[in-house]
Amino acid sequence: MASYVPQAMFDLRGRVAIVTGGGTGIGWMISKGLAASGAKVYITGRRLDVLEKAASEWDKAIGGDIVPLQLDVTDKQSILAAKARIETEEGRLHILVNNAGQVGPCSNFFGDPSAPEQKDAETLGQALFNNESFEQWSQLYTINTFSIFFMTTAFLGLLAKGGEEIPGHWSSVVNITSISGVMKLAQDHFCYNSSKAAATHLTKMLSTEILLKGYPIRINAVAPGVYESEMTWHTITPEAVDKVAKGVVPVPARRPGSGEEVAGTVVYLVSKAGGYTHGQEIVIDGGALAVNPSVA
């Protein structure tokens, strides 16, 4: 019966993790959750000073360890340099959280019926065409979608090694997508939403293909709704949450998600408790998709 004790089901002691974009926002929430469960967590990002500051704030008495690791997930040489460090210092990897992401180009007039850009179909079409560029779309897909493929494939060998350590406790990749990739509304940013939808399908393809190859690696996704982060500002009031969510119906929970809620979901997926979960996307959104048009 001891295996049913929460401390045993969610114990990550001895596990090595990487969280991209791990020094701020949702990434930092997840990093703290993994470390609190005992993992050694490498937090990555382009800004080393931000990573070092975050790592210095972690109370090791809680558990685990947080280590800054500078990494640009849109640059193959940077990815390989990070891989070399993990290979040298750890020799394997158990957890990869592909969290790095940005919002990208927005056409805020799209959601405002009174905007002059909405005069007629021709005016609206030209406004959207002129306001965004191929370069902006390419840049956003590179960080929100392409990076998942290149990070996962770069670390595949180390993840396989980690998955062989404890029978039944495979390594785990968790891709942080978004309810924006599941919602049918554009929310003023067609590019972001479609990039997240692509990330969702990429998650499922990677899960299937890697399982068919027989490697001990589980791949899943978490799709957060509105959480307090650098991308969503400080969304405290229900009105502020709805302003970010941009649904046709308000978010039923009437609040943003908490750090414990997103971190707890990821900890479940990468722990023994989530060991039978493959190729899934878990939506944690306060009920937003339950009341708004979505493909879920």
Side-chain angles (χ1 to χ4, degrees):
M1 297 300 289
S3 62
Y4 285 85
V5 175
Q7 290 86 339
M9 287 192 290
F10 301 104
D11 186 4
L12 298 180
R13 286 176 296 178
R15 309 298 274 182
V16 179
I18 292 176
V19 180
T20 67
T24 59
I26 285 177
W28 179 233
M29 299 172 189
I30 293 168
S31 298
K32 290 188 288 185
L34 295 174
S37 297
K40 181 177 183 180
V41 184
Y42 287 85
I43 56 173
T44 81
R46 295 172 177 169
R47 299 172 293 175
L48 184 59
D49 59 326
V50 172
L51 300 173
E52 290 175 337
K53 182 177 184 298
S56 69
E57 295 173 353
W58 178 246
D59 183 359
K60 293 184 180 181
I62 296 174
D65 194 13
I66 295 180
V67 182
L69 173 60
Q70 192 169 27
L71 167 61
D72 180 352
V73 297
T74 68
D75 183 270
K76 292 180 78 171
Q77 292 308 310
S78 182
I79 293 172
L80 290 176
K83 176 191 175 182
R85 178 173 168 185
I86 298 297
E87 190 164 23
T88 299
E89 297 187 9
E90 308 295 343
R92 79 278 194 238
L93 183 66
H94 305 102
I95 300 164
L96 171 60
V97 180
N98 288 309
N99 165 77
Q102 295 177 357
V103 175
C106 294
S107 292
N108 294 320
F109 56 81
F110 189 77
D112 181 5
S114 65
E117 292 89 348
Q118 300 237 27
K119 176 184 176 183
D120 53 38
E122 175 65 21
T123 304
L124 178 59
Q126 287 304 303
L128 287 168
F129 184 88
N130 293 328
N131 190 58
E132 303 184 15
S133 70
F134 280 99
E135 291 76 18
Q136 288 175 315
W137 275 63
S138 178
Q139 289 169 5
L140 191 70
Y141 267 76
T142 297
I143 188 168
N144 284 5
T145 311
F146 305 165
S147 67
I148 291 174
F149 175 82
F150 289 103
M151 282 293 297
T152 304
T153 54
F155 285 91
L156 195 66
L158 292 177
L159 286 163
K161 287 183 179 179
E164 294 166 352
E165 278 191 347
I166 302 174
H169 194 182
W170 291 11
S171 291
S172 184
V173 177
V174 179
N175 299 324
I176 306 304
T177 55
S178 171
I179 63 165
S180 293
V182 187
M183 186 177 285
K184 293 181 181 179
L185 302 172
Q187 301 171 297
D188 297 341
H189 37 57
F190 283 89
C191 183
Y192 177 81
N193 290 27
S194 59
S195 74
K196 288 297 185 176
T200 295
H201 192 59
L202 179 58
T203 297
K204 294 178 180 181
M205 285 194 296
L206 286 169
S207 173
T208 296
E209 292 290 4
I210 288 173
L211 284 174
L212 289 173
K213 298 293 185 293
Y215 301 129
I217 303 166
R218 295 184 301 105
I219 301 180
N220 294 284
V222 171
V226 180
Y227 284 73
E228 295 179 17
S229 71
E230 283 188 333
M231 287 205 303
T232 59
W233 314 289
H234 293 286
T235 51
I236 297 174
T237 67
E239 293 74 22
V241 170
D242 293 329
K243 185 176 181 180
V244 174
K246 297 181 180 179
V248 293
V249 177
V251 176
R254 311 302 293 147
R255 65 173 177 84
S258 71
E260 292 83 357
E261 287 163 336
V262 67
T265 304
V266 173
V267 168
Y268 155 72
L269 281 173
V270 305
S271 69
K272 291 179 180 178
Y276 215 52
T277 306
H278 294 263
Q280 300 301 306
E281 181 176 57
I282 300 179
V283 174
I284 46 173
D285 68 348
L289 292 186
V291 296
N292 281 284
S294 74
V295 297

